[in-house]
Each structure stands twice: as C-alpha cells, then as structure tokens.
Amino acid sequence: MASSRDFYVTFRSSPRLLCDVRAMLRSYLTSHGVDSDKIQEVVLAVDEACTNAIRHAYSGREDKMLELSLCSGDGWIELELCDSGIPAPYERIKPKSEEVIAAEALTPGGLGMHLIYNVFDDVTFTPGDSAGNTIVMRLRCA
C-alpha cells in the first residue's frame, strides 16, 4: 500500500457534516475508476462507520473530531477513520458470520459493522486501550 495519503480531513462529529464527507468520498472514488454501484456501497459503509463513531465513541456529542484519510496504490484504495472517543468493545466490532441474516432476526446495532465487513475486501478495526478507535477499510480496485 502507498504510504502517502491523497486526502486527510478532520471534521467535527456532527451528523450534518456527513453529507460533505459522502460527496468528497464519491468524487475520490469516481476519479479512481470505481464502479458506480460499488461507490454507493462504499459511501454507505463509510457513512455507517462515521455514524457509529459519533453515536457510540462520542455518545452523540457534536464537538469532537473525526479524522478520515484516503490513499491509493498497488491496486488498493484505503480509507482510515479515527476517533478519540470510547473504545469499542470487541463483541460490537467483530465480523459477523458469513450466513445471511433473516429479516425477522434483524435488530438495531451491529448491522453497520456487518455492512462494512461485506463491502470492503479487508477491514481492520483497532480500539485503543483507554481511548480512540481506528478502522482501516481496504478496497481492491483495477
């Protein structure tokens, strides 16, 4: 993976700013030749990751900061999202089973992570020891 970042943006943990993040991400993925259907999936998954950070790591506070970096190289696009909030418990971030989830079994919580693990080719979620979370999402591209 390329070691230099193409983009690095910090933004407040306000849900209304996610529209701007989604627009930037769409533009970046389009410029890298990602298929439009895949772009929609990636944008939704990153939006879920940001929303999870705001809702869970920051308990809904809008005065904290999130960091998103994007880089590409060697057939990959890598997105890294960091917060400095409450570390996520392992049971909330572990990959769900490969089984299809039945509609009647769907409950709030955890489905955003399921989406993230299914959209990206490689996902690493690292909660901090006492604060913060980092999620690295990698997408294979042509």
Side-chain angles (χ1 to χ4, degrees), residues 38-81:
K38 191 65 174 181
I39 288 173
Q40 295 306 343
E41 292 176 1
V42 169
V43 169
L44 178 60
V46 172
D47 186 75
E48 277 293 324
C50 293
T51 300
N52 283 346
I54 294 167
R55 183 177 294 142
H56 301 295
Y58 291 142
S59 302
R61 290 186 58 176
E62 296 188 15
D63 62 335
K64 299 297 183 179
M65 299 302 289
L66 293 167
E67 302 171 358
L68 178 66
S69 62
L70 310 171
C71 62
S72 63
D74 302 330
W76 289 90
I77 293 176
E78 183 176 283
L79 303 91
E80 181 181 85
L81 179 68

Short mmCIF file of all heavy atoms in Angstrom, two decimals, residues 38-81:
data_model
loop_
_atom_site.label_atom_id
_atom_site.label_comp_id
_atom_site.label_asym_id
_atom_site.label_seq_id
_atom_site.Cartn_x
_atom_site.Cartn_y
_atom_site.Cartn_z
N LYS A 38 -20.51 0.12 -6.75
CA LYS A 38 -19.58 -0.09 -5.64
C LYS A 38 -19.39 1.22 -4.87
O LYS A 38 -19.27 1.21 -3.64
CB LYS A 38 -18.24 -0.63 -6.15
CG LYS A 38 -17.33 -1.10 -5.05
CD LYS A 38 -17.93 -2.29 -4.31
CE LYS A 38 -16.99 -2.89 -3.31
NZ LYS A 38 -17.57 -4.05 -2.64
N ILE A 39 -19.37 2.34 -5.60
CA ILE A 39 -19.24 3.64 -4.94
C ILE A 39 -20.37 3.82 -3.92
O ILE A 39 -20.12 4.23 -2.78
CB ILE A 39 -19.23 4.80 -5.96
CG1 ILE A 39 -17.91 4.80 -6.73
CG2 ILE A 39 -19.45 6.15 -5.25
CD1 ILE A 39 -17.85 5.80 -7.87
N GLN A 40 -21.59 3.50 -4.32
CA GLN A 40 -22.73 3.66 -3.40
C GLN A 40 -22.55 2.80 -2.16
O GLN A 40 -22.82 3.24 -1.05
CB GLN A 40 -24.04 3.33 -4.11
CG GLN A 40 -24.40 4.28 -5.23
CD GLN A 40 -24.43 5.75 -4.81
OE1 GLN A 40 -24.48 6.11 -3.65
NE2 GLN A 40 -24.38 6.63 -5.79
N GLU A 41 -22.08 1.57 -2.35
CA GLU A 41 -21.86 0.68 -1.20
C GLU A 41 -20.78 1.22 -0.27
O GLU A 41 -20.94 1.21 0.95
CB GLU A 41 -21.45 -0.71 -1.69
CG GLU A 41 -22.53 -1.47 -2.41
CD GLU A 41 -22.03 -2.80 -2.97
OE1 GLU A 41 -20.83 -3.13 -2.78
OE2 GLU A 41 -22.83 -3.51 -3.58
N VAL A 42 -19.68 1.68 -0.86
CA VAL A 42 -18.57 2.20 -0.06
C VAL A 42 -18.99 3.45 0.71
O VAL A 42 -18.71 3.59 1.90
CB VAL A 42 -17.34 2.48 -0.95
CG1 VAL A 42 -16.27 3.27 -0.19
CG2 VAL A 42 -16.76 1.18 -1.49
N VAL A 43 -19.69 4.35 0.02
CA VAL A 43 -20.15 5.57 0.68
C VAL A 43 -21.07 5.25 1.85
O VAL A 43 -20.94 5.81 2.94
CB VAL A 43 -20.82 6.53 -0.34
CG1 VAL A 43 -21.53 7.67 0.36
CG2 VAL A 43 -19.78 7.06 -1.33
N LEU A 44 -21.99 4.31 1.65
CA LEU A 44 -22.89 3.91 2.73
C LEU A 44 -22.10 3.30 3.89
O LEU A 44 -22.36 3.61 5.07
CB LEU A 44 -23.93 2.92 2.22
CG LEU A 44 -24.92 2.38 3.26
CD1 LEU A 44 -25.72 3.50 3.90
CD2 LEU A 44 -25.84 1.36 2.61
N ALA A 45 -21.14 2.45 3.59
CA ALA A 45 -20.35 1.79 4.64
C ALA A 45 -19.52 2.81 5.43
O ALA A 45 -19.45 2.73 6.67
CB ALA A 45 -19.45 0.71 4.04
N VAL A 46 -18.90 3.76 4.75
CA VAL A 46 -18.10 4.78 5.45
C VAL A 46 -19.02 5.69 6.27
O VAL A 46 -18.69 6.07 7.39
CB VAL A 46 -17.23 5.58 4.46
CG1 VAL A 46 -16.55 6.76 5.15
CG2 VAL A 46 -16.19 4.66 3.82
N ASP A 47 -20.19 6.01 5.73
CA ASP A 47 -21.17 6.79 6.47
C ASP A 47 -21.56 6.06 7.76
O ASP A 47 -21.66 6.66 8.83
CB ASP A 47 -22.40 7.05 5.60
CG ASP A 47 -23.39 7.98 6.28
OD1 ASP A 47 -23.11 9.20 6.33
OD2 ASP A 47 -24.44 7.49 6.75
N GLU A 48 -21.74 4.74 7.67
CA GLU A 48 -22.04 3.93 8.85
C GLU A 48 -20.89 3.99 9.86
O GLU A 48 -21.13 4.09 11.07
CB GLU A 48 -22.29 2.47 8.46
CG GLU A 48 -23.69 2.21 7.98
CD GLU A 48 -24.74 2.37 9.08
OE1 GLU A 48 -24.46 2.01 10.24
OE2 GLU A 48 -25.82 2.86 8.77
N ALA A 49 -19.66 3.90 9.38
CA ALA A 49 -18.51 3.96 10.28
C ALA A 49 -18.45 5.31 11.00
O ALA A 49 -18.21 5.37 12.22
CB ALA A 49 -17.21 3.71 9.51
N CYS A 50 -18.69 6.39 10.27
CA CYS A 50 -18.71 7.72 10.87
C CYS A 50 -19.84 7.85 11.87
O CYS A 50 -19.66 8.38 12.98
CB CYS A 50 -18.84 8.80 9.79
SG CYS A 50 -17.43 8.95 8.68
N THR A 51 -21.02 7.39 11.50
CA THR A 51 -22.19 7.45 12.38
C THR A 51 -21.95 6.65 13.65
O THR A 51 -22.30 7.09 14.75
CB THR A 51 -23.44 6.95 11.64
OG1 THR A 51 -23.66 7.80 10.50
CG2 THR A 51 -24.67 6.98 12.53
N ASN A 52 -21.35 5.47 13.52
CA ASN A 52 -21.02 4.66 14.70
C ASN A 52 -20.08 5.41 15.64
O ASN A 52 -20.25 5.37 16.86
CB ASN A 52 -20.40 3.33 14.30
CG ASN A 52 -21.41 2.33 13.79
OD1 ASN A 52 -22.61 2.50 13.96
ND2 ASN A 52 -20.91 1.28 13.16
N ALA A 53 -19.08 6.08 15.07
CA ALA A 53 -18.13 6.84 15.89
C ALA A 53 -18.86 7.96 16.63
O ALA A 53 -18.65 8.16 17.84
CB ALA A 53 -17.01 7.39 15.03
N ILE A 54 -19.71 8.67 15.92
CA ILE A 54 -20.45 9.77 16.55
C ILE A 54 -21.38 9.24 17.64
O ILE A 54 -21.41 9.74 18.76
CB ILE A 54 -21.25 10.56 15.49
CG1 ILE A 54 -20.29 11.28 14.53
CG2 ILE A 54 -22.19 11.56 16.17
CD1 ILE A 54 -20.95 11.84 13.29
N ARG A 55 -22.13 8.21 17.31
CA ARG A 55 -23.14 7.68 18.23
C ARG A 55 -22.53 6.96 19.43
O ARG A 55 -22.97 7.16 20.56
CB ARG A 55 -24.06 6.74 17.47
CG ARG A 55 -25.20 6.20 18.34
CD ARG A 55 -26.15 5.32 17.54
NE ARG A 55 -26.82 6.14 16.54
CZ ARG A 55 -27.10 5.73 15.30
NH1 ARG A 55 -26.77 4.52 14.90
NH2 ARG A 55 -27.70 6.52 14.45
N HIS A 56 -21.54 6.11 19.18
CA HIS A 56 -21.04 5.25 20.25
C HIS A 56 -19.75 5.77 20.89
O HIS A 56 -19.66 5.84 22.12
CB HIS A 56 -20.83 3.83 19.72
CG HIS A 56 -22.09 3.24 19.18
ND1 HIS A 56 -23.19 2.96 19.97
CD2 HIS A 56 -22.45 2.90 17.91
CE1 HIS A 56 -24.16 2.47 19.22
NE2 HIS A 56 -23.74 2.42 17.97
N ALA A 57 -18.75 6.12 20.10
CA ALA A 57 -17.48 6.57 20.68
C ALA A 57 -17.64 7.94 21.35
O ALA A 57 -17.04 8.20 22.39
CB ALA A 57 -16.40 6.62 19.61
N TYR A 58 -18.46 8.80 20.73
CA TYR A 58 -18.64 10.14 21.27
C TYR A 58 -19.99 10.36 21.95
O TYR A 58 -20.33 11.48 22.30
CB TYR A 58 -18.45 11.18 20.16
CG TYR A 58 -17.03 11.29 19.67
CD1 TYR A 58 -16.76 11.49 18.32
CD2 TYR A 58 -15.95 11.23 20.54
CE1 TYR A 58 -15.47 11.62 17.86
CE2 TYR A 58 -14.65 11.35 20.09
CZ TYR A 58 -14.41 11.55 18.74
OH TYR A 58 -13.12 11.69 18.29
N SER A 59 -20.78 9.31 22.09
CA SER A 59 -22.09 9.39 22.76
C SER A 59 -22.96 10.51 22.20
O SER A 59 -23.67 11.18 22.95
CB SER A 59 -21.90 9.56 24.27
OG SER A 59 -21.16 8.49 24.80
N GLY A 60 -22.86 10.73 20.89
CA GLY A 60 -23.69 11.74 20.23
C GLY A 60 -23.19 13.16 20.33
O GLY A 60 -23.80 14.08 19.78
N ARG A 61 -22.07 13.37 20.99
CA ARG A 61 -21.52 14.74 21.09
C ARG A 61 -21.07 15.22 19.72
O ARG A 61 -20.46 14.48 18.96
CB ARG A 61 -20.34 14.76 22.06
CG ARG A 61 -20.80 14.56 23.51
CD ARG A 61 -19.70 14.72 24.48
NE ARG A 61 -19.08 16.06 24.36
CZ ARG A 61 -18.12 16.49 25.16
NH1 ARG A 61 -17.66 15.71 26.10
NH2 ARG A 61 -17.60 17.69 25.00
N GLU A 62 -21.35 16.48 19.43
CA GLU A 62 -21.01 17.05 18.12
C GLU A 62 -19.79 17.96 18.16
O GLU A 62 -19.45 18.58 17.16
CB GLU A 62 -22.22 17.82 17.58
CG GLU A 62 -23.40 16.93 17.30
CD GLU A 62 -24.54 17.63 16.58
OE1 GLU A 62 -24.32 18.74 16.03
OE2 GLU A 62 -25.63 17.07 16.56
N ASP A 63 -19.11 18.01 19.30
CA ASP A 63 -17.96 18.91 19.43
C ASP A 63 -16.62 18.17 19.41
O ASP A 63 -15.57 18.76 19.65
CB ASP A 63 -18.07 19.72 20.72
CG ASP A 63 -18.08 18.83 21.97
OD1 ASP A 63 -18.46 17.64 21.86
OD2 ASP A 63 -17.72 19.34 23.06
N LYS A 64 -16.64 16.89 19.08
CA LYS A 64 -15.41 16.10 18.99
C LYS A 64 -14.96 16.04 17.53
O LYS A 64 -15.66 16.50 16.63
CB LYS A 64 -15.65 14.68 19.53
CG LYS A 64 -16.07 14.65 20.98
CD LYS A 64 -14.96 15.20 21.85
CE LYS A 64 -15.32 15.12 23.31
NZ LYS A 64 -14.23 15.63 24.14
N MET A 65 -13.80 15.46 17.28
CA MET A 65 -13.26 15.43 15.92
C MET A 65 -13.10 14.00 15.42
O MET A 65 -12.77 13.09 16.18
CB MET A 65 -11.91 16.15 15.86
CG MET A 65 -11.95 17.61 16.26
SD MET A 65 -13.06 18.63 15.26
CE MET A 65 -12.18 18.69 13.73
N LEU A 66 -13.32 13.83 14.12
CA LEU A 66 -13.05 12.59 13.40
C LEU A 66 -11.99 12.89 12.36
O LEU A 66 -11.92 14.01 11.84
CB LEU A 66 -14.31 12.07 12.71
CG LEU A 66 -15.44 11.60 13.62
CD1 LEU A 66 -16.72 11.42 12.83
CD2 LEU A 66 -15.06 10.30 14.28
N GLU A 67 -11.18 11.90 12.04
CA GLU A 67 -10.14 12.04 11.03
C GLU A 67 -10.36 10.97 9.97
O GLU A 67 -10.50 9.79 10.30
CB GLU A 67 -8.76 11.85 11.65
CG GLU A 67 -8.44 12.81 12.76
CD GLU A 67 -7.15 12.46 13.49
OE1 GLU A 67 -6.51 11.43 13.13
OE2 GLU A 67 -6.79 13.19 14.41
N LEU A 68 -10.38 11.38 8.72
CA LEU A 68 -10.53 10.45 7.61
C LEU A 68 -9.39 10.67 6.63
O LEU A 68 -9.14 11.80 6.20
CB LEU A 68 -11.87 10.65 6.89
CG LEU A 68 -12.14 9.76 5.68
CD1 LEU A 68 -12.27 8.29 6.09
CD2 LEU A 68 -13.41 10.22 4.96
N SER A 69 -8.67 9.59 6.32
CA SER A 69 -7.62 9.70 5.32
C SER A 69 -7.90 8.70 4.20
O SER A 69 -8.45 7.62 4.44
CB SER A 69 -6.23 9.49 5.92
OG SER A 69 -6.11 8.21 6.48
N LEU A 70 -7.54 9.08 3.00
CA LEU A 70 -7.73 8.26 1.81
C LEU A 70 -6.40 8.16 1.08
O LEU A 70 -5.69 9.15 0.93
CB LEU A 70 -8.75 8.91 0.86
CG LEU A 70 -10.08 9.36 1.46
CD1 LEU A 70 -10.86 10.18 0.43
CD2 LEU A 70 -10.88 8.18 1.90
N CYS A 71 -6.07 6.96 0.65
CA CYS A 71 -4.88 6.78 -0.18
C CYS A 71 -5.12 5.63 -1.14
O CYS A 71 -6.01 4.80 -0.95
CB CYS A 71 -3.62 6.58 0.66
SG CYS A 71 -3.61 5.14 1.70
N SER A 72 -4.32 5.62 -2.18
CA SER A 72 -4.45 4.56 -3.19
C SER A 72 -3.07 4.16 -3.67
O SER A 72 -2.12 4.93 -3.57
CB SER A 72 -5.31 5.03 -4.36
OG SER A 72 -4.68 6.12 -5.01
N GLY A 73 -3.01 2.96 -4.19
CA GLY A 73 -1.75 2.47 -4.73
C GLY A 73 -1.75 0.96 -4.78
O GLY A 73 -2.47 0.30 -4.03
N ASP A 74 -0.97 0.41 -5.70
CA ASP A 74 -0.80 -1.04 -5.80
C ASP A 74 -2.11 -1.80 -5.89
O ASP A 74 -2.26 -2.86 -5.29
CB ASP A 74 0.02 -1.57 -4.62
CG ASP A 74 1.39 -0.94 -4.50
OD1 ASP A 74 1.95 -0.55 -5.54
OD2 ASP A 74 1.90 -0.82 -3.38
N GLY A 75 -3.10 -1.24 -6.61
CA GLY A 75 -4.38 -1.93 -6.79
C GLY A 75 -5.33 -1.84 -5.63
O GLY A 75 -6.31 -2.59 -5.57
N TRP A 76 -5.08 -0.94 -4.66
CA TRP A 76 -5.93 -0.79 -3.48
C TRP A 76 -6.33 0.66 -3.29
O TRP A 76 -5.59 1.57 -3.66
CB TRP A 76 -5.18 -1.22 -2.22
CG TRP A 76 -4.93 -2.68 -2.10
CD1 TRP A 76 -3.84 -3.36 -2.55
CD2 TRP A 76 -5.78 -3.65 -1.49
NE1 TRP A 76 -3.96 -4.69 -2.26
CE2 TRP A 76 -5.15 -4.90 -1.59
CE3 TRP A 76 -7.01 -3.58 -0.85
CZ2 TRP A 76 -5.71 -6.07 -1.09
CZ3 TRP A 76 -7.56 -4.75 -0.35
CH2 TRP A 76 -6.91 -5.98 -0.48
N ILE A 77 -7.48 0.84 -2.69
CA ILE A 77 -7.86 2.13 -2.12
C ILE A 77 -8.03 1.87 -0.63
O ILE A 77 -8.67 0.89 -0.24
CB ILE A 77 -9.16 2.68 -2.74
CG1 ILE A 77 -8.93 3.03 -4.21
CG2 ILE A 77 -9.66 3.89 -1.95
CD1 ILE A 77 -10.18 3.49 -4.94
N GLU A 78 -7.43 2.70 0.18
CA GLU A 78 -7.50 2.52 1.62
C GLU A 78 -8.12 3.75 2.26
O GLU A 78 -7.76 4.89 1.93
CB GLU A 78 -6.11 2.29 2.19
CG GLU A 78 -6.11 2.01 3.68
CD GLU A 78 -4.72 1.69 4.19
OE1 GLU A 78 -4.26 0.55 3.96
OE2 GLU A 78 -4.10 2.59 4.79
N LEU A 79 -9.06 3.51 3.16
CA LEU A 79 -9.71 4.57 3.92
C LEU A 79 -9.47 4.29 5.39
O LEU A 79 -9.66 3.16 5.84
CB LEU A 79 -11.22 4.57 3.64
CG LEU A 79 -11.63 4.73 2.18
CD1 LEU A 79 -11.79 3.38 1.52
CD2 LEU A 79 -12.89 5.52 2.08
N GLU A 80 -9.05 5.30 6.11
CA GLU A 80 -8.81 5.13 7.54
C GLU A 80 -9.61 6.19 8.29
O GLU A 80 -9.51 7.38 7.99
CB GLU A 80 -7.33 5.28 7.86
CG GLU A 80 -7.03 5.10 9.34
CD GLU A 80 -5.56 5.28 9.64
OE1 GLU A 80 -5.13 6.44 9.82
OE2 GLU A 80 -4.84 4.26 9.68
N LEU A 81 -10.41 5.75 9.25
CA LEU A 81 -11.22 6.63 10.07
C LEU A 81 -10.78 6.49 11.52
O LEU A 81 -10.69 5.36 12.03
CB LEU A 81 -12.71 6.29 9.94
CG LEU A 81 -13.66 7.15 10.77
CD1 LEU A 81 -13.70 8.58 10.23
CD2 LEU A 81 -15.06 6.55 10.77
#
